[in-house]
Amino acid sequence: MGGGRGVRSTDGSGGVTGRPEEPAAAGGAEPDARFSFANERTFLAWNRTALALVAAGLGIAQLLPPFPGLPWGRHIIGTPLIVLGSAIAVVSYLEWRANQRALRRGEPPHNSRLPVVLTVTIAVVGLAAAILVLISGPRAG
Amino acid sequence: MPEMPRPAADRPAADRPADPGLARARTDLAWIRTAIAFAALGGVVLKNHPVPGLAILALSALIWALGRLAGTTSAPRNRSRSLLVITVAVTAVSLTALVISLLSPGPAPLR
């Protein structure tokens, strides 16, 4: 009656057989709803982070006056932020799916690589911004 | 989980409460924040680029509706699709932002 690993598919909501991405043989059981909700909130938080990065990148490119003497300087800072935003959107979905699968099987959640990617990118972009400020000519007037 | 009368681990999985309590409310609020983030970005884009701005605002409404829908259905079966919609939306928005930022000239230098 029970599933393999101390969890069992219980009620109607736990009928995993028809799920395309999760065949019942490999699936395990529907995890505790609170864990599913937490996983979903994490995904949503990453996507808000992605949107914030896109907004920041777009704002740098579109609202900032150009660095004096460095017309491409804004894009050096802004484009990586926008690209990181789209990457976070995709990777966070993959991680949500992997974590949901791990929950179903009673395995520990995956270690996310997104925090270190976010940290490194923001640090590099910040350094680039500082360098651009230093090497761009003084504003006339 | 201090608000639970008994720790869920003490009981067999089948006896766990189906009601996730405040977790669902927190998740609904996270959906709403996500929709608001879309709306804010759409409003900013709208100022200089009306068509993509309106498209992003429409995405915000779509995500708001998806969040409401996810709040009323307990089965996580369709949630995978809703989350995929968010990923596709954020990716589309960032590609749009990339095109805008590369093609459209920014403000003129200050004088």
Side-chain angles (χ1 to χ4, degrees), chain A residues 46 91 94-95 110-119:
Chain A
W46 274 117
V91 174
L94 299 178
E95 289 193 341
H110 292 245
N111 284 328
S112 174
R113 278 182 298 272
L114 285 177
V116 68
V117 174
L118 184 65
T119 302

Side-chain angles (χ1 to χ4, degrees), chain B residues 14-80:
Chain B
D15 293 337
R16 277 184 201 157
D19 175 24
L22 295 176
R24 163 157 302 155
R26 285 199 293 274
T27 308
D28 288 347
L29 291 170
W31 275 92
I32 291 173
R33 285 198 297 277
T34 308
I36 290 174
F38 269 94
L41 182 57
V44 171
V45 174
L46 193 64
K47 191 183 169 215
N48 289 326
H49 307 276
V51 173
L54 283 176
I56 297 172
L57 285 177
L59 281 178
S60 166
L62 169 70
I63 283 162
W64 189 292
L66 276 179
R68 296 295 302 266
L69 207 68
T72 52
T73 61
S74 62
R77 176 168 309 194
N78 293 322
R79 295 176 101 75
S80 171

